[in-house]
Amino acid sequence: MQLKKINNKLTIAAAGSGKTTYLVEEALKQKEGKILITTYTQANEAEIRKKIVEKNICIPQNVIVQTWFSFLLQHGVRPYQGVLFEKKINGLILVNSQSGLKAYRKPCKECKAESVVKADCYKCKEPIFFGEDKEFEQHYFTKGLKIYSDKLSKFVFRCNEVSDGSVIDRISRIYSHIFIDEIQDLAGYDLELLKLFFDCPSSIQLVGDPRQGTYSTNSAPKNKQFKKANIVNFFTDKIDNLIKDDTSLLVNYRCNEKICELSNKLFPNFQATTSGNNEITEHSGVFLIKEADVDEYLKKYEPMQLRENKKTTVNKNYRVMNFGEAKGLSFERVLIYPTSPFIEWLKDNKSELKETSRSKLYVAITRARHSVAFVCKTKLTIPGISNYETEK
């Protein structure tokens, strides 16, 4: 019986624990062979490059840093596209929802009258999508032959199938070590590719924080039960040749103790985070603040305003970001404009909170070093959270 190799490692990290720094340091330890570091977002790719330069002055010749999509296009699609598709593929098109819309079983009156298929029409019901077997080209590509981003990893997986494993074999011969950051962002057929990587000769190291699952590479139905925070179940249920480390990166060096205590309540099934920030300031902790006092608070402390989206009313004279945009960033203080479900959860931590909303709230809270303030329409009393009082 052939034993599976165990040179695959998953490190589950907490916010503010230095997971990207850890990944970079592990990659820089490898002096032989070619090293790949990949991640989903361009922002995190830039952060990885920055960390390498800080540690090593320059990016070593044997280290390649690129986004997940760029990696798949270069090594999974370009060399093997002919095994599945004879036409030239003209790049990638990013999509936020399932691609390849063919029609609706119940089109709205406007679309029916115009004989059009609008992917973003919220009035139409029961979408029908082009199938892979009989409508291959429309399933994977736009009319301009750009591959849909949510089908990219599936296409690579199919290329590997048809070529009898040549795609993964080639990649493993190019890269002796593959490092993947923000692993919680991978979804769908990305996870099927991970299974293949785990069985190849390359050493695979994964780092991520499932609690920060605000993005996904795709919205494909494949492996949907393992998306975002639930990706830990994929590694537990489906993978048996992986070392899992969920204890090494549990100290949050960004947030103080009060902020850590609140963020831990969002994901009670995960290992609790401890604070490595012992700095004392005049205004530290977690607060509730009335709408009427927001302008004064902004003037005095200049926190970063965090909101759900642009529809949220904020003070435009001060810095503002959406929850998702703030991922990976640090601020001295944050002022959060909570959604109604956020407020209900603050009142009762057992209150229902959707998976993505839970992750967004976790990201928002853990951006701050010293203080987190939640804007409330009226004065509330919530155990463990102080009410901010203006100076009279």
Side-chain angles (χ1 to χ4, degrees):
M1 180 179 177
Q2 185 178 3
L3 296 176
K4 289 188 176 183
K5 62 139 186 163
I6 309 290
N7 57 341
N8 308 314
K9 183 179 180 181
L10 166 67
T11 302
I12 301 293
S17 64
K19 63 182 175 59
T20 301
T21 299
Y22 166 80
L23 179 140
V24 165
E25 289 175 345
E26 289 296 302
L28 291 175
K29 288 178 183 177
Q30 314 306 322
K31 303 303 181 183
E32 297 181 358
K34 201 168 183 179
I35 315 302
L36 170 69
I37 307 177
T38 183
T39 189
Y40 171 38
T41 67
Q42 291 179 332
N44 202 52
E45 179 202 16
E47 181 66 16
I48 290 169
R49 292 179 182 277
K50 178 184 174 184
K51 294 283 186 185
I52 294 176
V53 171
E54 288 174 355
K55 297 284 181 182
N56 198 66
I57 302 177
C58 65
I59 298 176
Q61 287 188 335
N62 70 324
V63 176
I64 302 298
V65 184
Q66 62 185 153
T67 63
W68 180 248
F69 286 162
S70 175
F71 162 63
L72 292 183
L73 276 173
Q74 181 180 352
H75 293 291
V77 174
R78 298 297 187 199
Y80 295 96
Q81 65 181 39
V83 304
L84 286 181
F85 191 58
E86 294 180 356
K87 299 179 183 179
K88 181 183 177 182
I89 299 173
N90 296 320
L92 177 77
I93 184 166
L94 295 173
V95 294
N96 295 321
S97 57
Q98 188 173 346
S99 63
L101 178 64
K102 182 178 182 178
Y104 288 97
R105 286 190 176 87
K106 296 181 180 180
C108 67
K109 292 181 179 179
E110 291 84 353
C111 291
K112 192 172 183 179
E114 297 175 16
S115 299
V116 296
V117 177
K118 297 179 181 177
D120 58 349
C121 183
Y122 65 92
K123 295 180 181 178
C124 295
K125 305 294 182 184
E126 297 184 22
I128 304 169
F129 297 93
F130 288 110
E132 180 181 17
D133 294 336
K134 296 182 179 180
E135 300 157 318
F136 183 92
E137 183 171 325
Q138 296 97 324
H139 178 76
Y140 280 102
F141 306 102
T142 66
K143 291 181 179 179
L145 294 181
K146 289 188 176 183
I147 190 167
Y148 294 114
S149 60
D150 68 324
K151 304 284 177 54
L152 181 58
S153 56
K154 182 180 181 180
F155 188 88
V156 174
F157 184 82
R158 296 288 186 242
C159 284
N160 188 70
E161 277 186 326
V162 174
S163 65
D164 196 25
S166 294
V167 177
I168 301 300
D169 177 65
R170 177 178 177 273
I171 292 171
S172 69
R173 285 186 284 110
I174 294 173
Y175 296 111
S176 59
H177 294 76
I178 297 175
F179 294 84
I180 305 178
D181 197 12
E182 303 289 8
I183 191 66
Q184 73 277 358
D185 294 344
L186 301 192
Y189 272 89
D190 296 335
L191 304 188
E192 298 304 308
L193 293 180
L194 283 184
K195 290 180 187 177
L196 299 176
F197 283 133
F198 292 152
D199 286 330
C200 82
S202 303
S203 172
I204 313 296
Q205 287 205 46
L206 318 172
V207 180
D209 181 1
R211 289 160 287 207
Q212 297 189 59
T214 57
Y215 295 127
S216 285
T217 53
N218 62 77
S219 56
K222 183 74 172 179
N223 290 318
K224 64 180 181 179
Q225 72 272 33
F226 300 126
K227 287 186 70 173
K228 299 179 179 177
N230 293 319
I231 196 170
V232 293
N233 298 326
F234 168 76
F235 296 112
T236 301
D237 299 347
K238 300 293 183 179
I239 308 300
D240 60 3
N241 57 339
L242 177 78
I243 299 170
K244 181 181 173 183
D245 176 4
D246 60 0
T247 60
S248 295
L249 296 178
L250 286 180
V251 178
N252 184 333
Y253 294 100
R254 179 191 302 135
C255 306
N256 60 33
E257 186 176 356
K258 286 290 185 182
I259 298 172
C260 284
E261 286 176 357
L262 180 62
S263 65
N264 284 335
K265 293 178 181 178
L266 278 161
F267 292 92
N269 293 330
F270 283 78
Q271 294 276 2
T273 302
T274 58
S275 173
N277 175 6
N278 298 316
E279 186 178 352
I280 304 299
T281 70
E282 62 164 326
H283 182 64
S284 296
V286 182
F287 301 88
L288 300 171
I289 180 170
K290 292 181 293 185
E291 283 184 349
D293 298 329
V294 164
D295 289 348
E296 179 190 314
Y297 188 84
L298 286 167
K299 183 178 180 180
K300 184 173 183 179
Y301 295 111
E302 297 185 345
M304 170 59 76
Q305 298 177 96
L306 298 179
R307 64 187 179 186
E308 173 76 6
N309 52 47
K310 292 182 178 180
K311 295 179 180 180
T312 306
T313 302
V314 300
N315 187 324
K316 295 182 180 179
N317 295 319
Y318 295 87
R319 301 175 300 167
V320 61
M321 277 186 168
N322 293 347
F323 297 137
E325 293 176 304
K327 183 180 175 184
L329 302 179
S330 299
F331 308 104
E332 297 299 302
R333 310 178 188 284
V334 300
L335 178 69
I336 298 173
Y337 294 85
T339 62
S340 295
F342 285 5
I343 289 292
E344 293 306 311
W345 181 85
L346 289 171
K347 293 178 182 177
D348 177 6
N349 298 159
K350 294 181 180 179
S351 176
E352 183 180 355
L353 197 58
K354 291 182 179 179
E355 177 186 309
T356 301
S357 295
R358 190 173 293 270
S359 291
K360 285 182 178 180
L361 180 55
Y362 178 85
V363 167
I365 290 170
T366 56
R367 296 313 91 199
R369 294 187 180 93
H370 305 306
S371 66
V372 174
F374 294 94
V375 179
C376 305
K377 293 183 180 296
T378 58
K379 187 173 181 179
L380 298 175
T381 301
I382 298 178
I385 303 181
S386 304
N387 280 287
Y388 176 76
E389 299 295 340
T390 59
E391 295 180 358
K392 303 299 182 182

